[in-house]
Amino acid sequence: GENQDVALQVGKYVWDDLFISINKSIGASADRIAIEAKLMKNVKAQAEVEIGSSSQGKVSLKWKRDY
């Protein structure tokens, strides 16, 4: 069968430019905690950490342009 994962994400803006979220997985994937910070108008930095026995982390830089 197909691998389907369902998750619930809850988050809150701590400051205007800082968002913290928790992603609770209902399927096989690990739960995650993420922090997203707005650095400039179109640039955000995000750090994410998996919670569990095989904890992993990643950092990403996102650029968005609205037309």
Side-chain angles (χ1 to χ4, degrees):
E2 293 182 26
N3 184 11
Q4 295 181 347
D5 189 24
V6 177
L8 174 66
Q9 182 180 30
V10 178
K12 179 177 174 120
Y13 279 94
V14 180
W15 292 286
D16 289 338
D17 298 333
L18 184 65
F19 184 74
I20 297 176
S21 64
I22 298 173
N23 190 324
K24 174 67 178 158
S25 177
I26 298 171
S29 295
D31 300 335
R32 295 185 300 264
I33 295 176
I35 298 174
E36 186 175 288
K38 183 176 178 183
L39 302 178
M40 297 186 309
K41 181 180 178 181
N42 296 326
V43 180
K44 293 181 181 179
Q46 182 176 359
E48 189 174 279
V49 176
E50 288 185 358
I51 304 168
S53 60
S54 62
S55 297
Q56 297 179 0
K58 71 177 182 179
V59 175
S60 58
L61 190 60
K62 296 180 180 182
W63 177 76
K64 179 181 175 184
R65 175 92 179 175
D66 293 327
Y67 293 95

